[in-house]
Amino acid sequence: MTTRSPPSIRNAIHEVLSSMRFAISLLVVLAIASIIGTVLKQNEPYPNYLFEFGTYWFGVFRLLGLFDVYHSIWFLVILLFLVLSTSLCIVRHSPSMLREMHSFRERTTLSSLRQFRFRREYVTVLEPVQVSSLLCLTLADFGYKCRTQSRKSGQFVAAKRGSLNRLGYIFTHMAIIIICLGGLIDGNIPLKLQQFFGIKHIETRNMPESQVPEASRLGPNNLSFRGDVSIPEGSSADVVFLNVGKGYLVQDLPFVVSVKKFIIKYYSTGQPRLFASDLVVRDKQTGKSKAVRLEVNHPLDMDGVDIYQSSFGDGGSHLHFQVWPLSGTSVQPAALKGIVKQHDPIVIRGHPYTVEFDNFRSFNVEDLSQGVKPPSGGFMQDMRQALSLTGANNKDLKNVGPSVEFKLRDAQGQAHEYLNYMLPIKLGGHLYLLSGMRTNPGAGYQYIRFPLDDEGSIKAFMLLRAHLDDPSAALHIGLQFAKKSLAGTSEQQAMVPKLAQISASVLALFRQGGYDALAGFISKDVPKNEQVNAAKTYLKVLQGTALEALDESLPAGVTIKDKMAFVEDSLNAMNDRFLYGPPVYLQLDNYRLVMATGLQMTRAPGKFFVYFGSLCLVLGIFAMFYIRERRVFIYAGSDGKVLFSMSATRQTFDAQSEFENLAAKLGDVLIEKGR
Amino acid sequence: MELVQNLKTSSLKKLHLGDWGYAFAWLAACFFVLERFGSGMNGFSKGILLFATIGFIGLGWFWKPFRLMVVITAGLSLFAIHEYHGQIASADQVFWLKYFLGSQTAIMWMSFLFVLATCIYWVALLGRSEFSGKLASTLTWCAVVMGLVGMATRWYVSYLLGPNIGHIPLSNLYEVFILFSFMTALFYLYYEDRYLSYEMGAFVLLVISAAIGFLLWYTFDRHANGIEPLVPALQSYWMKIHVPANFVGYGSFSLSAMVGVAYLLKSKGILSDRLPDLALMEDVMYKSIAIGFLFFTIATILGALWAAQAWGGYWSWDPKETWALIVWLNYAAWLHMRLIKGVRGPVLAWWSIGGLMVTTFAFLGVNMFLSGLHSYGKL
Ligand code: HEM
């Protein structure tokens, strides 16, 4: 179809750009480029990449724009080439396509008809004119349009159907261009340019929105944008934040969004069923406001800006804690108030700390399907183990109540991170308060379990702990324990002081370093072959002593059903505190929930192009594959010979059978009418 | 589609009494649903219902065996639903449900029948046995029916689980694997019927058996067969059309790749006296990629429309989206090669096999290895 003009560089370039090979290469290159962006996580904070790839590769990847492939210059260039190639292709082919669409190819000669693969000859007694009009009628039945021509020695019929097939090509390729254009409009090229010329400046500092300088703000008339904002219940916002590179820009909105309430509803099985926000949106210009409920999958269109329910989080819930000391003889909890996302100073045993309230969840769904096994060993447990949270399926989800995540940071900046549950959790028939701790943000939490009395209070444990931690009480408890254990013969009674002594020193060891201290003592001071027995004995003594201490410390009216288990759990918890960080337990005892809703707002005028282009694309592809162009030529000679030939753009199986079908039908018609 | 052409060339004159009866049954069913449940449906649901009715009538007219399948499926499904008597527990108590038609049982039957049919297709291929071919074909039909019945009952059962939980079974990997299996089988059965050739079944059913393998692993190892309520992001009408459209694409692409395997074997002289003509297989390959491409395009566009509604942008370069684009580009290149460059033969067969790899990654690999916005079926 192409005519070769004298070679020149321009022609050569044009030739390459509009060539099929180039188009296919582009498609493949685009595919590969796209893969990169899915393999490498995009738009993460830079430190993450630095950590993952090291300085060298980080530098290389950043230079190549691999952290934001789809907005990099080279990706854009590929897309531009795609548009260019497709446009050239359209320009080149459309005229001839349109011509072809209308043409019946009436100039086709008899001799070329004889070359067709699909052809058949008939003999008839009918006149050529009769033949042509008869067959045209039949062809019309099959959807053909006919042109008849008188030639020297007979009648010539040219017919065709499915010409729209050619439009398919134009539609498809136009669609690609239109879609890419739409994408470009909604893309970030204008922003890139403004950044390039220094008109806009990306803000990287963490500061209140009102203080962000003008150079990092975009006016409400900005053509297209996509940003997020998180608004606590009871507050409002008139901006969104656009994530750009390693910083952000502030986009001013033409309206103010106030959040009345964020709503989550759950299925009976525990999975979330509904996320919604009750909003009031006030137009700044007209001052008119309207109240709406925004749900996932049901965005709100406000002056061409679409508002979406995109996330939710804590908007600064008020928390109330009892701060229990985990060492020393005091049992008095101190009250502590906090607000999520805020930091407060706190003094623990004379040292200054900061407590950072990171996250609060009023509803925790955990899978308890496998039944709850008591954690083995008694040492800190991973949550999964502690609650036997196995598998993702077969769920038996339970709400285990509110939880709070916070950090205790010391003066040197070292932090312990905690996850505390507010409600008691039943494990192996006993109630506990769970508190998870970790020092490495990437690691899983290790759990400490505080046993509770029959009323579900932690007080009994705290009293017991304080009693055991009181060195001045140790001898007394030891003596009581020894007396009770050796209440029998006088011989036994003679041993009492010795046992009391042992009990007190075991307790002292345990107080200083938990089970490890005991084990250390045994491995140092007890002969090898007696160590196992000694360990058992010491543990028994420890437990017995603690049981005694429990009896002494338990206030009147407080009951514990299984005291032995309680004592074991208490000792475990006391042991675990050595790994737990600063010696306090922050028991969450009350809260007032304040949610924040995460809204995404976009203005994307390009979408109309994209949708229109998509429609063209579907129509075009349909036309190209499923409207098949067929041309039929018939020559009815005055000698009674009729030549029928057919051509198809794609000589598939269907063309063959269609030809057979049509040829038979035409033959029938000729025979029937010629009788 | 060819459908339109067929209807145009042959016009309505060619339709027989059976066709009219079939159409009437559909319309009656549609009318019944509107009459009985119309008050609980909104415009969109009614639209889909109407559209589906017309579509299924058209399909039945275009491809006659389809009608019988629809009738049998409808009968069995209605019977099964009736037997449930509104109680989930019936699945383990009522004889018919426990052993044949309960949603889980029917899907197990489907699995079994597909695997059996695969074996028999191979017997037919190797032994050149026309009878075995017919038997395998019948078994495949039965498997499709069981799959559909399983889906229908599953759909019904989801409404018994609790208030607001019921939804069309297209919402997780387990369900779409069933969809994939019977869709691919239906496409194959169409070509089989059209070209009167059982030989390709041995290959196409292999990919279905592989899907069944996954399904069984997913059921027994992961216990993924439970019905889960829809999380908010999936509560959208787009899901109901986006997902099936996608699977027309996936199914067709898989089919063409498996025919590609047969093609390559034959062109290398393996089983060459048993496999159909190269030209025939080439034709099937092209046709199925063409239909797959059309539907995949539609599915991707629907996905974009859905994304625009759920995520706030029609295109976010989310891994699943991006891989859909990659699949699309791949087959666009394939079609250019064939239609415009006129490339034929092994290159295209190899390419369509490569296409299946890409498609499989887009379908499964993305869920397994990449994270993104799609809340759909994490493995
Ligand atoms: C994705 C972007 C696409 C690009 C960049 C592209 C590019 C091109 C180019 C450059 C040509 C001209 C080749 C020549 O001049 O010899 C061409 C031809 C063609 N393309 Fe595409 N194309 C794209 C998508 C599609 C799609 C989706 C289809 C449909 C399956 C399609 C079908 C065709 C057809 C049928 C022709 C041949 C026209 C003819 O010469 O008869 N193209 N394409």
Side-chain angles (χ1 to χ4, degrees):
Chain A
M1 269 184 231
T2 57
T3 49
R4 295 218 168 244
S5 38
S8 72
I9 293 186
R10 240 177 93 188
N11 274 347
I13 292 178
H14 184 268
E15 191 74 8
V16 168
L17 284 183
S18 64
S19 78
M20 195 71 230
R21 186 176 302 171
F22 187 69
I24 293 181
S25 314
L26 270 180
L27 296 186
V28 175
V29 169
L30 189 63
I32 293 171
S34 308
I35 293 178
I36 301 176
T38 66
V39 177
L40 198 66
K41 267 207 175 164
Q42 301 285 292
N43 293 314
E44 297 267 294
Y46 276 2
N48 292 14
Y49 293 120
L50 202 60
F51 180 73
E52 196 171 341
F53 300 112
T55 8
Y56 178 73
W57 287 113
F58 171 75
V60 174
F61 285 0
R62 196 179 56 168
L63 212 64
L64 292 176
L66 295 192
F67 301 138
D68 194 5
V69 171
Y70 309 114
H71 300 107
S72 69
I73 299 291
W74 58 268
F75 196 80
L76 215 69
V77 169
I78 301 179
L79 281 180
L80 282 179
F81 268 111
L82 194 79
V83 171
L84 190 65
S85 153
T86 332
S87 315
L88 287 175
C89 188
I90 294 183
V91 168
R92 186 156 115 178
H93 288 298
S94 296
S96 63
M97 291 254 176
L98 292 174
R99 225 179 301 123
E100 273 289 297
M101 221 175 91
H102 291 295
S103 151
F104 279 81
R105 302 210 187 132
E106 287 147 301
R107 303 234 190 91
T108 315
T109 60
L110 189 54
S111 56
S112 68
L113 287 192
R114 296 223 162 88
Q115 310 288 319
F116 278 37
R117 188 157 82 96
F118 297 133
R119 61 170 196 280
R120 184 149 303 168
E121 288 190 38
Y122 313 92
V123 182
T124 178
V125 295
L126 297 172
E127 288 297 309
V129 185
Q130 279 179 300
V131 171
S132 65
S133 58
L134 204 55
L135 295 190
C136 270
L137 276 180
T138 315
L139 284 172
D141 262 0
F142 282 82
Y144 285 82
K145 284 203 186 94
C146 282
R147 285 279 166 86
T148 315
Q149 218 181 41
S150 295
R151 287 197 185 170
K152 256 193 298 230
S153 55
Q155 287 289 101
F156 177 76
V157 178
K160 69 179 172 73
R161 54 165 266 208
S163 298
L164 284 181
N165 171 279
R166 307 270 168 168
L167 273 190
Y169 161 83
I170 297 176
F171 266 62
T172 313
H173 290 78
M174 284 295 267
I176 303 290
I177 299 173
I178 296 171
I179 291 173
C180 286
L181 274 181
L184 284 181
I185 293 175
D186 291 343
N188 62 351
I189 295 182
L191 201 59
K192 274 239 155 109
L193 289 178
Q194 292 185 50
Q195 230 176 295
F196 184 80
F197 291 112
I199 303 171
K200 289 295 167 200
H201 170 75
I202 291 178
E203 186 55 72
T204 50
R205 292 166 294 175
N206 209 344
M207 57 165 75
E209 171 261 318
S210 53
Q211 288 167 27
V212 172
E214 200 48 39
S216 305
R217 301 185 82 99
L218 300 166
N221 295 325
N222 187 10
L223 184 63
S224 86
F225 59 83
R226 181 168 180 177
D228 300 276
V229 64
S230 170
I231 312 173
E233 287 172 331
S235 307
S236 46
D238 62 351
V239 296
V240 287
F241 298 90
L242 317 185
N243 272 321
V244 194
K246 54 186 190 302
Y248 63 92
L249 289 171
V250 176
Q251 167 72 54
D252 291 313
L253 300 171
F255 49 79
V256 187
V257 181
S258 313
V259 178
K260 282 202 291 199
K261 191 153 182 47
F262 175 78
I263 300 143
I264 311 187
K265 285 194 180 144
Y266 296 88
Y267 291 108
S268 51
T269 52
Q271 284 108 324
R273 177 168 71 79
L274 173 80
F275 300 128
S277 302
D278 281 338
L279 308 176
V280 177
V281 188
R282 184 171 56 81
D283 191 303
K284 279 183 188 167
Q285 220 142 55
T286 63
K288 271 199 205 121
S289 55
K290 65 177 173 184
V292 284
R293 168 168 289 195
L294 191 66
E295 288 178 23
V296 175
N297 268 318
H298 299 281
L300 168 72
D301 181 352
M302 185 74 199
D303 303 337
V305 177
D306 287 322
I307 308 178
Y308 298 86
Q309 177 68 58
S310 75
S311 64
F312 64 92
D314 196 283
S317 294
H318 296 256
L319 307 174
H320 191 269
F321 295 91
Q322 301 288 339
V323 183
W324 295 96
L326 283 182
S327 67
T329 51
S330 162
V331 285
Q332 268 318 305
L336 176 73
K337 279 188 195 147
I339 291 181
V340 174
K341 301 264 159 32
Q342 291 192 2
H343 299 181
D344 289 310
I346 180 176
V347 175
I348 301 172
R349 307 223 102 204
H351 299 287
Y353 284 84
T354 322
V355 51
E356 305 171 2
F357 299 102
D358 295 330
N359 196 7
F360 172 72
R361 302 207 303 170
S362 63
F363 192 98
N364 283 285
V365 176
E366 304 286 6
D367 179 3
L368 301 175
S369 59
Q370 308 298 313
V372 183
K373 273 187 299 189
S376 56
F379 294 95
M380 290 179 148
Q381 302 286 322
D382 184 73
M383 184 68 177
R384 281 178 178 278
Q385 249 182 326
L387 295 176
S388 293
L389 306 180
T390 46
N393 299 303
N394 222 350
K395 292 195 181 79
D396 174 15
L397 298 160
K398 289 271 151 44
N399 178 7
V400 298
S403 71
V404 60
E405 275 182 293
F406 63 94
K407 290 195 196 77
L408 284 178
R409 199 179 287 285
D410 63 19
Q412 284 75 47
Q414 300 288 14
H416 284 81
E417 194 174 345
Y418 298 90
L419 169 60
N420 287 2
Y421 288 86
M422 177 169 161
L423 297 182
I425 293 173
K426 204 165 206 172
L427 298 170
H430 304 296
L431 287 175
Y432 301 93
L433 276 176
L434 286 191
S435 169
M437 190 283 301
R438 65 183 177 192
T439 46
N440 176 358
Y445 282 106
Q446 300 279 302
Y447 284 84
I448 192 169
R449 300 174 300 140
F450 297 110
L452 304 179
D453 65 26
D454 293 351
E455 299 295 306
S457 161
I458 195 175
K459 184 94 186 184
F461 165 75
M462 288 297 169
L463 287 170
L464 172 61
R465 180 205 61 69
H467 201 40
L468 290 174
D469 273 343
D470 184 358
S472 62
L475 259 179
H476 166 69
I477 308 171
L479 197 60
Q480 288 302 108
F481 160 67
K483 275 190 190 152
K484 273 195 193 160
S485 315
L486 303 170
T489 59
S490 57
E491 223 169 290
Q492 278 182 333
Q493 278 167 11
M495 301 280 290
V496 165
K498 181 121 199 282
L499 186 56
Q501 187 59 45
I502 294 178
S503 158
S505 50
V506 165
L507 201 55
L509 276 170
F510 185 75
R511 193 186 307 129
Q512 277 149 29
Y515 296 125
D516 276 354
L518 277 178
F521 172 78
I522 291 171
S523 65
K524 214 166 67 197
D525 290 3
V526 178
K528 264 237 146 36
N529 52 353
E530 289 171 27
Q531 283 181 359
V532 174
N533 275 337
K536 276 186 192 155
T537 315
Y538 281 15
L539 201 59
K540 268 216 188 93
V541 170
L542 180 62
Q543 288 172 350
T545 311
L547 195 58
E548 186 54 41
L550 178 62
D551 283 336
E552 286 183 7
S553 63
L554 204 60
V558 178
T559 56
I560 291 170
K561 222 184 299 141
D562 186 347
K563 283 191 180 164
M564 201 56 220
F566 185 86
V567 158
E568 279 176 32
D569 289 329
S570 298
L571 290 174
N572 289 342
M574 285 180 68
N575 175 65
D576 288 344
R577 68 184 161 161
F578 294 107
L579 302 169
Y580 187 68
V584 287
Y585 167 58
L586 272 61
Q587 185 194 3
L588 177 65
D589 72 346
N590 209 345
Y591 67 89
R592 189 164 65 76
L593 186 66
V594 180
M595 295 294 288
T597 184
L599 303 181
Q600 181 166 89
M601 306 200 198
T602 67
R603 185 185 275 155
K607 73 177 170 212
F608 299 108
F609 285 79
V610 173
Y611 295 164
F612 177 68
S614 301
L615 184 67
C616 293
L617 186 63
V618 172
L619 292 178
I621 293 177
F622 180 82
M624 217 157 26
F625 295 149
Y626 296 104
I627 300 183
R628 281 166 301 180
E629 192 190 71
R630 302 277 188 257
R631 287 172 186 278
V632 160
F633 304 98
I634 293 170
Y635 193 83
S638 40
D639 53 359
K641 280 190 182 155
V642 178
L643 174 64
F644 158 62
S645 39
M646 188 176 114
S647 78
T649 32
R650 268 166 244 143
Q651 314 235 331
T652 54
F653 272 59
D654 312 294
Q656 176 84 38
S657 63
E658 230 180 293
F659 166 73
E660 302 290 350
N661 198 355
L662 193 54
K665 183 78 192 170
L666 294 180
D668 286 350
V669 170
L670 287 177
I671 291 168
E672 197 177 306
K673 296 289 169 177
R675 227 178 254 145
Chain B
M1 276 180 265
E2 279 148 61
L3 172 68
V4 177
Q5 308 265 306
N6 254 25
L7 290 183
K8 241 204 280 176
T9 47
S10 55
S11 71
L12 298 179
K13 274 180 255 166
K14 276 210 180 152
L15 293 173
H16 298 294
L17 201 60
D19 294 312
W20 290 114
Y22 170 78
F24 180 76
W26 262 107
L27 289 174
C30 179
F31 184 74
F32 172 77
V33 171
L34 284 178
E35 190 56 31
R36 173 93 184 264
F37 305 107
S39 53
M41 297 165 80
N42 60 14
F44 204 99
S45 313
K46 287 178 182 163
I48 290 193
L49 178 67
L50 233 57
F51 191 77
T53 304
I54 294 169
F56 279 108
I57 291 176
L59 265 172
W61 283 0
F62 169 64
W63 182 36
K64 311 289 175 178
F66 192 77
R67 295 173 314 183
L68 183 61
M69 185 209 69
V70 167
V71 171
I72 293 178
T73 305
L76 287 178
S77 305
L78 288 176
F79 174 66
I81 287 170
H82 174 260
E83 288 296 291
Y84 267 101
H85 295 295
Q87 231 96 58
I88 306 179
S90 309
D92 298 323
Q93 292 156 2
V94 179
F95 174 81
W96 285 107
L97 297 181
K98 189 165 178 191
Y99 296 105
F100 293 99
L101 300 173
S103 96
Q104 208 55 48
T105 322
I107 287 158
M108 286 302 128
W109 272 110
M110 173 196 82
S111 306
F112 169 72
L113 288 170
F114 270 136
V115 175
L116 186 65
T118 312
C119 301
I120 297 184
Y121 268 121
W122 277 96
V123 170
L125 177 70
L126 299 175
R128 292 207 187 91
S129 154
E130 174 93 17
F131 170 75
S132 305
K134 279 196 177 133
L135 176 63
S137 180
T138 310
L139 287 173
T140 310
W141 275 111
C142 294
V144 170
V145 167
M146 284 320 249
L148 284 166
V149 171
M151 287 292 246
T153 43
R154 189 179 169 88
W155 194 349
Y156 168 74
V157 166
S158 73
Y159 282 87
L160 299 181
L161 283 180
N164 307 317
I165 293 185
H167 58 87
I168 189 169
L170 294 173
S171 67
N172 59 31
L173 269 184
Y174 176 80
E175 289 161 352
V176 297
F177 257 87
I178 302 168
L179 181 71
F180 172 83
S181 305
F182 67 72
M183 281 264 210
T184 312
L186 272 178
F187 283 117
Y188 164 70
L189 287 170
Y190 169 73
Y191 294 115
E192 177 184 278
D193 184 45
R194 185 112 196 217
Y195 294 95
L196 299 175
S197 139
Y198 298 113
E199 293 85 352
M200 290 179 292
F203 291 88
V204 178
L205 271 270
L206 277 183
V207 80
I208 299 179
S209 286
I212 296 296
F214 179 89
L215 194 68
L216 294 181
W217 170 78
Y218 210 44
T219 307
F220 292 113
D221 195 69
R222 291 300 187 88
H223 304 288
N225 50 335
I227 299 174
E228 300 283 324
L230 292 180
V231 297
L234 293 180
Q235 295 166 8
S236 167
Y237 286 109
W238 297 112
M239 182 182 84
K240 298 177 186 156
I241 43 182
H242 167 69
V243 177
N246 244 320
F247 278 82
V248 175
Y250 289 152
S252 301
F253 294 151
S254 315
L255 190 149
S256 87
M258 295 318 284
V259 175
V261 172
Y263 184 98
L264 285 175
L265 288 180
K266 175 144 182 158
S267 62
K268 293 221 156 59
I270 302 166
L271 291 174
S272 59
D273 50 341
R274 288 179 168 83
L275 285 169
D277 258 4
L278 285 180
L280 186 153
M281 290 198 274
E282 176 134 49
D283 201 52
V284 173
M285 229 157 54
Y286 162 68
K287 284 228 175 85
S288 112
I289 285 188
I291 187 104
F293 188 72
L294 176 63
F295 274 85
F296 197 75
T297 308
I298 295 174
T300 309
I301 294 169
L302 291 173
L305 289 170
W306 184 5
Q309 203 176 67
W311 300 336
Y314 49 84
W315 197 262
S316 320
W317 294 104
D318 155 80
K320 196 95 184 169
E321 269 174 357
T322 311
W323 274 92
L325 176 69
I326 294 166
V327 169
W328 191 85
L329 289 171
N330 176 58
Y331 287 104
W334 192 97
L335 288 163
H336 276 85
M337 293 283 272
R338 184 185 147 110
L339 295 182
I340 300 106
K341 296 278 281 186
V343 173
R344 290 283 132 75
V347 178
L348 286 186
W350 277 114
W351 196 322
S352 70
I353 294 170
L356 180 59
M357 308 284 154
V358 178
T359 309
T360 310
F361 191 83
F363 172 15
L364 269 186
V366 173
N367 297 29
M368 267 151 58
F369 303 117
L370 308 174
S371 61
L373 303 166
H374 271 80
S375 48
Y376 206 86
K378 283 268 174 300
L379 266 183

